[in-house]
Amino acid sequence: MSFFGGSSAQKPAVPPPRPPPIPRSGPTIDATTVISLLGVLALLGGAYGTSLKVLPKTTTLKTRVLFIWHAFDALIHFVFEGSFLWNCFFVSYALPTTFSAASRKHPSITLFTPPDVYWLGKEDLLFGANYGTGPFSRLWQEYAKADRRWGGTDLTVVSLEILTVGVAGPLACWICWLLTKDERKGTLKKWFWMSMLATAEIYGGWMTFAPEWLSGSPNLDTSNWMYLWLYLFFFNGLWIVFPVWILWEAYAAMSAAMSQAEMVDLVNYLKKDD
């Protein structure tokens, strides 16, 4: 009974906070694995199909390969890496008020910021793909089996991806547009922008993995062949091999163009003396 004689209603118990979802672990090849790999192939197929639509039939093989690579590069940046940023900024898990140092041992709680540093200044929230259940969260949970940083908000990785999505993606589209033009025109302009992007891709790869190598690779799992050779080596290696090849081709093209220009200047100089 209450003080005023009425019946006291018991307040409903506050439900305990839901635990964060536990990312899937282990080298099991399941539906998410297959769908993720098919997604990569679908983007590559889209880049190839676009090349058939927009490039002339007389386009050389080199130009077609360059177009497909840059179109694929842009799609990866916008679709996959763009979804990574979405997870980092908009997918979160609210920590319970009883969160303590012991709670950090939960298998899905991995803090990638230094002590007393919080992503977006939010002390009570964790962000990243590890805390989502959507298809793109699952995709990054899959890749995070090989590199745990992609399941959370590693400051270096996120900072690089903001530039990758916001700058490298549009630049790759711009290069694709240049490649649809007459191959004999604007040669130096095309190779200049391709060199810029290739250099940025190589630098981004270095800054992604150098901190790991210098600290003993605490976030990389190389114990399974699929994680090591497919996820880490092959997929990241593409963004080293193609940019290096592009820089080599750019050097050759620019050197040839400059030699031709020097020859023209020499001929004009000799004519002037006559």
Side-chain angles (χ1 to χ4, degrees):
M1 299 291 290
S2 69
F3 179 79
F4 295 100
S7 60
S8 60
Q10 186 178 4
K11 294 182 179 180
V14 178
R18 63 178 179 85
I22 300 176
R24 297 169 306 114
S25 60
T28 304
I29 300 177
D30 56 13
T32 301
T33 309
V34 174
I35 292 173
S36 300
L37 296 176
L38 289 178
V40 175
L41 292 177
L43 296 185
L44 179 59
Y48 174 73
T50 303
S51 75
L52 297 178
K53 290 288 186 180
V54 302
L55 293 179
K57 294 182 178 179
T58 57
T59 298
T60 62
L61 177 61
K62 181 188 295 185
T63 299
R64 187 172 298 280
V65 171
L66 288 169
F67 180 93
I68 293 171
W69 166 251
H70 286 96
F72 176 67
D73 187 37
L75 289 171
I76 288 290
H77 292 335
F78 288 140
V79 178
F80 282 1
E81 291 166 307
S83 71
F84 168 75
L85 291 181
W86 174 269
N87 279 283
C88 290
F89 284 97
F90 300 106
V91 175
S92 63
Y93 165 69
L95 290 172
T97 55
T98 57
F99 182 72
S100 62
S103 303
R104 296 170 183 260
K105 297 181 180 180
H106 190 283
S108 71
I109 293 180
T110 303
L111 303 181
F112 295 99
T113 55
D116 299 323
V117 175
Y118 304 95
W119 176 248
L120 302 181
K122 306 289 186 179
E123 299 183 26
D124 59 339
L125 294 176
L126 297 177
F127 289 84
N130 279 349
Y131 313 106
T133 57
F136 282 107
S137 295
R138 291 294 187 186
L139 181 148
W140 286 109
Q141 288 172 22
E142 177 67 26
Y143 184 76
K145 293 178 182 179
D147 188 340
R148 291 193 305 165
R149 295 173 296 170
W150 297 85
T153 51
D154 180 88
L155 298 180
T156 300
V157 170
V158 177
S159 298
L160 285 171
E161 288 305 321
I162 291 173
L163 287 176
T164 299
V165 176
V167 178
L171 182 55
C173 293
W174 168 247
I175 292 170
C176 286
W177 185 81
L178 291 176
L179 290 169
T180 63
K181 304 303 177 182
D182 191 336
E183 292 183 90
R184 296 169 296 179
K185 296 180 180 180
T187 299
L188 291 181
K189 178 188 289 187
K190 297 172 187 177
W191 286 113
F192 171 79
W193 290 114
M194 282 190 279
S195 297
M196 289 283 290
L197 180 57
T199 303
E201 300 283 10
I202 294 173
Y203 178 78
W206 171 259
M207 289 305 299
T208 298
F209 287 101
E212 283 297 298
W213 298 332
L214 294 174
S215 58
S217 302
N219 293 302
L220 304 183
D221 183 358
T222 59
S223 62
N224 178 266
W225 69 267
M226 186 172 71
Y227 301 162
L228 175 60
W229 296 109
L230 183 61
Y231 288 4
L232 295 176
F233 184 82
F234 177 74
F235 283 125
N236 290 286
L238 289 177
W239 273 265
I240 299 298
V241 172
F242 274 93
V244 168
W245 170 65
I246 288 169
L247 288 175
W248 175 264
E249 293 290 342
Y251 175 79
M254 290 181 179
S255 296
M258 293 302 295
S259 297
Q260 185 177 5
E262 291 171 355
M263 183 61 68
V264 171
D265 289 341
L266 177 61
V267 171
N268 290 335
Y269 176 78
L270 295 174
K271 287 181 177 179
K272 185 187 298 184
D273 289 345
D274 292 341

